Amino acid sequence: MRAIEAFEPPPPSKVNYINAQYGLKSWLLTKDHKRIALLYLGSITFFFFIGGLYALMIRLELLTPQGDLLQSTTYNKVFTQHGIIMIFFFLIPSIPATLGNFLVPMMIGAKDLAFPRVNLLSWYIYMLGGVITIYALLAGGVDTGWTFYTPFSTTFSNSYVVATGLGIFVNGFSSILTGLNFIVTIHTMRAPGMTWFRLPLFIWSHYATSLIMILGTPVVAITILLLAFERVARVGIFDPALGGDPILFQHLFWFYSHPAVYIMVLPSMGVVSELIANFSRKNIFGYKFVAFSSLAIAVFGFLVWGHHLFVTSQSVYAGMIFSFLSFAVAIPSAIKVFNWTATLFKSSISYDTPMLYALGFIGLFTIGGMTGLFLASLATDVHLSDTYFVVAHFHYIMVGGALMGYLGGLHYWWPKISGRMYPEGWGRFAALVIFVGFNLTFLPQFVAGYLGMPRRYHAYPPEFQVFNVLSTAGASILGFGMLIPAIYLVWSMRYGKHAEANPWHLPGLEWRTQSPPPTENFEHTPIVDWEAYEFAPPEEMEVVGRFRRELETA
Amino acid sequence: MIESPAATEHIQAHPALQHHFENMEQQREAGTLGMWVFLVTEIMFFGGMFLAYTLYRSKFPADFASASNHLDITLGAVNTGVLILSSFTMATAVWSTQVGKRQTQILCLVLTLLLGLTFLGIKAVEYYDKYEDALVPGQLIPGRPFGPEVAQEGDHDRHKLHLLPGATVEHVQMFYWIYFAMTGMHALHMVIGAGLITFLIIFSVKGRYDPEYHSPVEVIGLYWHFVDIIWIFLFPLLYLLGRHFEH
Ligand code: HEM
Ligand SMILES: [Cu+2]
């Protein structure tokens, strides 16, 4: 157990970004991308906790067929708020705003993001949006579903739609600013020699994510604004009585929100590409395919939103085209899965905690993506739409995919971020618990949904109870599993073994500086003369020694 | 992107160079690209409203034409001229900063600001007209809901709404909501632009910008041109298209 080594005497401490300055003010006014990443890390963890409490309430209510624990109106608010918090305040910022913020400059050899002040501003905007939303939840909550469909949200709902919408509207700007900062940084701040095709795949996926953030988020911003005006002033744009079209809202909403699912999963794919290559000590198979598939996903992701409108008045022909394009968008995702698998083939894999999450990601994401194809087929969707099948589909991607990638990345870069090692034994144990809990929660929902159990009701016919009991049991295991890393990561910040500069012995730029890095990231601007994932061939596995030497001479 | 190690040498650090950039060139490039990316987000933002316009215009052509007829084409045209002129003065301001003509630079920035304010003034007059005629949609103005007087056959009162065959008041309201949403959003961008230019003027007077460091002027110039271009689209779509419907 590595935990025992925690009591070794620490090496002589160096000045790094964490201890360079002291005091609350030095954190709240920081322009260092690494400190801002930590600010985000704290805040999204807070929101994740709130979202998790709502999930707990949902699962408890659904333990029995009768609507006994929560009234139907309360239940509506609970699942709505669960969705809003988890999607807008946890998953969308999760990897980009924490790991991305921390690593994008480091991986390309820059001192900071291009606009450090804008970066800090984005965190404040995020917090402002969060405060507004929490106010709305405390004042009485919102019950429209995270999708805010009109005319319910504009005319009939008696809840805090406008306040919540405002929170999301404000929050959107933080996402836009993050995306803008990443794009400009990746274009203009790469170190000498860091050509586009030497960029780690994490950077490519963040570039693609940023494209979606800047192209999609403004559309949902204007949509929410129009919705708010419609609700407050009855201007008619979504109101059929005045000639407006409620389906226009759905089009605008999904024009953002389908691409937004890729905002959630693309960064995770970037993390997984890093983990797969680095923990199998092999150059990634088909680097360019993986890199360009990220861009392809970003572009094609904008052309498939209509698959959420198959059961509306959308024309059959539009439906057919959207169905076809949805199948097409699965291709770049599949390319990634095949390339990861090919990378693993005949490599020397080490099963450290991050790698367990990465392998979990591949399996779960594949299930999530394949069931997406069932939903993207016009005829099957009529049967499956608005059932628990959909709920299981997107949780497989958003939790099984995005969240697993986030956890894997967090463990992988934890030594760099905190300067400490996490306890490996506990890490593997938690990864396993989470994997089991997750599958037990959501596999039964596929079946329940297929058999016809609709989503978003607080009561259900007794024949579905067995699936819901399994699901609630799984959710308990999952929740317990999530607590383990929360505890030992905090513990490791104080008691963990001190991490070396390059604990995994890898070639990436972020590992060629001390852990935790100094405020300026590198002592000298690095000059890159190696390819991405350039591992020595297995027979001369002296990588470790080689990087040691480089570090000493640097 | 700087590829050669030679470019990373510090030449003589300019006081405006931020610590995380290697040199002024990189800093300028980042600033300009940042603004372009921002403008792309603006296009998407306005895009949502352009979509709504296109949809409802194709659904309700006669209603949109009747509503459009009620707009003051003269004021709209004058405003278009004002904005184009302001783009010219802005471009001149950028150019004179680049070549180091401080006097011209300050003069042009002041002119741009004045033209921008003129535009907003004329827009306010137009809005007030619409308010008088009860054309502000829904309950946007408390106590004065949408409810224009509809002109009868042969009545030429220009404050009344002249409906073409097939047009209804509700659908005219749709036009006016889109009109207010788009021009209002545009005006908001003008106000922000005017604020930014005021900043530029203050710093120009202090002598902050020189041929080596002028990216704020350039970047805000880009923004200003963008806001003008939005109007260049709004004017024909809202004021001109469909006018010939009237016979
Ligand atoms: C890659 C990451 C993906 C994520 C994060 C994701 C997420 C989601 C979410 C959140 C919903 C539910 C929306 C709601 O509340 O109604 C959903 C529904 C849907 N997804 Fe996915 N999805 C992904 C991939 C795919 C793929 C690859 C396809 C098809 C090729 C697909 C097809 C669908 C369809 C058709 C629906 C609508 C189901 C319905 O409401 O009838 N998804 N997805
Ligand atoms: Cu979708």
Side-chain angles (χ1 to χ4, degrees), chain A residues 51-213:
Chain A
L53 284 182
Y54 284 123
L56 183 70
M57 288 158 81
I58 297 175
R59 281 321 322 164
L60 283 180
E61 165 58 57
L62 294 180
L63 197 54
T64 54
Q66 307 80 24
D68 36 19
L69 184 68
L70 304 172
Q71 291 181 327
S72 55
T73 46
T74 320
Y75 183 77
N76 290 349
K77 289 181 181 170
V78 168
F79 75 70
T80 301
Q81 290 161 189
H82 166 69
I84 287 173
I85 296 278
M86 284 301 201
I87 289 180
F88 294 109
F89 292 94
F90 174 69
L91 261 188
I92 288 185
S94 62
I95 295 181
T98 58
L99 299 176
N101 236 335
F102 196 96
L103 291 160
V104 166
M106 299 205 60
M107 283 185 164
I108 66 173
K111 294 198 188 85
D112 206 321
L113 288 173
F115 307 115
R117 262 174 300 186
V118 172
N119 196 19
L120 181 62
L121 179 66
S122 90
W123 181 71
Y124 277 102
I125 293 177
Y126 169 82
M127 292 307 279
L128 179 65
V131 167
I132 297 174
T133 306
I134 296 221
Y135 156 77
L137 304 193
L138 293 180
V142 59
D143 65 353
T144 57
W146 76 283
T147 46
F148 292 101
Y149 275 7
T150 52
F152 180 70
S153 59
T154 47
T155 315
F156 303 106
S157 168
N158 266 324
S159 61
Y160 285 75
V161 177
V162 175
T164 319
L166 185 68
I168 294 171
F169 175 81
V170 170
N171 179 39
F173 288 94
S174 88
S175 179
I176 292 178
L177 293 182
T178 303
L180 185 151
N181 227 336
F182 284 174
I183 290 183
V184 175
T185 306
I186 296 169
H187 270 282
T188 61
M189 310 275 289
R190 282 169 290 136
M194 182 52 95
T195 57
W196 281 92
F197 292 120
R198 282 178 177 171
L199 289 172
L201 289 164
F202 183 86
I203 300 291
W204 278 96
S205 72
H206 272 72
Y207 188 84
T209 309
S210 306
L211 283 180
I212 304 178
M213 283 173 162

Side-chain angles (χ1 to χ4, degrees), chain A residues 254 257-259 261-262 301 304-308 326 393:
Chain A
W254 287 112
S257 292
H258 182 82
V261 306
Y262 291 110
V304 302
W305 78 89
H307 65 215
H308 295 273
S326 304
H393 154 70

Side-chain angles (χ1 to χ4, degrees), chain A residues 113-117 184 187-192 214-215 218 222 225 229 233-234 236-237 243-245 520 525, chain B residues 1 8 18-22 26 30 33-34 37 40-41 44-45 51 56 60 138-140 170-171 173-174 177 185:
Chain A
L113 288 173
F115 307 115
R117 262 174 300 186
V184 175
H187 270 282
T188 61
M189 310 275 289
R190 282 169 290 136
I214 63 152
L215 293 173
I222 186 68
L225 212 56
F229 274 105
R234 294 262 297 154
I237 192 160
D245 188 349
E520 302 265 287
T525 305
Chain B
M1 158 76 209
T8 64
Q18 289 173 288
H19 80 283
H20 60 293
F21 289 113
E22 296 288 336
Q26 190 188 30
L33 181 61
V37 174
V40 170
T41 72
M44 297 309 289
F45 186 81
L51 174 75
Y56 291 121
F60 312 125
Q139 273 107 44
L140 273 181
E170 281 91 62
H171 299 166
Q173 168 170 260
M174 183 69 79
W177 169 231
M185 208 34 93

Side-chain angles (χ1 to χ4, degrees), chain B residues 110-245:
Chain B
V110 171
L111 280 178
T112 312
L113 180 63
L114 290 179
L115 288 166
L117 295 178
T118 311
F119 176 93
L120 286 171
I122 295 179
K123 200 77 227 155
V125 171
E126 276 193 82
Y127 278 179
Y128 187 72
D129 272 355
K130 303 298 164 293
Y131 166 77
E132 292 270 273
D133 300 350
L135 282 168
V136 183
Q139 273 107 44
L140 273 181
I141 311 244
R144 195 163 173 84
F146 184 82
E149 259 187 88
V150 178
Q152 300 302 319
E153 194 74 34
D155 185 347
H156 290 294
D157 184 349
R158 75 169 197 90
H159 286 290
K160 289 187 183 160
L161 189 61
H162 297 259
L163 290 179
L164 296 167
T168 68
V169 178
E170 281 91 62
H171 299 166
V172 166
Q173 168 170 260
M174 183 69 79
F175 175 91
Y176 273 100
W177 169 231
I178 290 172
Y179 166 82
F180 273 103
M182 295 187 94
T183 59
M185 208 34 93
H186 175 260
L188 179 66
H189 280 79
M190 295 282 302
V191 171
I192 294 170
L196 291 173
I197 291 179
T198 313
F199 261 101
L200 282 186
I201 294 173
I202 294 171
F203 282 115
S204 297
V205 171
K206 287 187 182 163
R208 180 87 189 271
Y209 309 118
D210 54 44
E212 215 189 313
Y213 176 61
H214 53 258
S215 68
V217 187
E218 208 177 305
V219 161
I220 292 172
L222 269 178
Y223 173 85
W224 190 260
H225 296 314
F226 169 80
V227 177
D228 287 1
I229 288 176
I230 292 283
W231 179 259
I232 300 296
F233 279 91
L234 290 184
F235 177 61
L237 288 183
L238 296 171
Y239 289 75
L240 302 181
L241 281 188
R243 276 212 172 231
H244 63 278
F245 243 87

Side-chain angles (χ1 to χ4, degrees), chain A residues 2 41 99 103 271 275 279 352-358 403-418 420-432 434 481-490 492 499 503-504 511:
Chain A
R2 293 210 185 158
L41 182 63
L99 299 176
L103 291 160
V271 170
L275 296 181
F279 284 93
D352 295 296
T353 310
M355 188 61 164
L356 295 184
Y357 283 110
L403 185 67
M404 295 288 167
Y406 171 68
L407 288 175
L410 199 59
H411 283 84
Y412 173 55
W413 282 292
W414 190 250
K416 188 54 66 183
I417 294 175
S418 69
R420 304 286 183 139
M421 300 302 292
Y422 60 87
E424 181 64 37
W426 281 107
R428 291 184 196 180
F429 173 65
L432 225 62
I434 290 175
M482 299 293 306
L483 287 181
I484 307 175
I487 293 169
Y488 67 66
L489 288 181
V490 173
S492 76
W504 311 111
W511 302 111

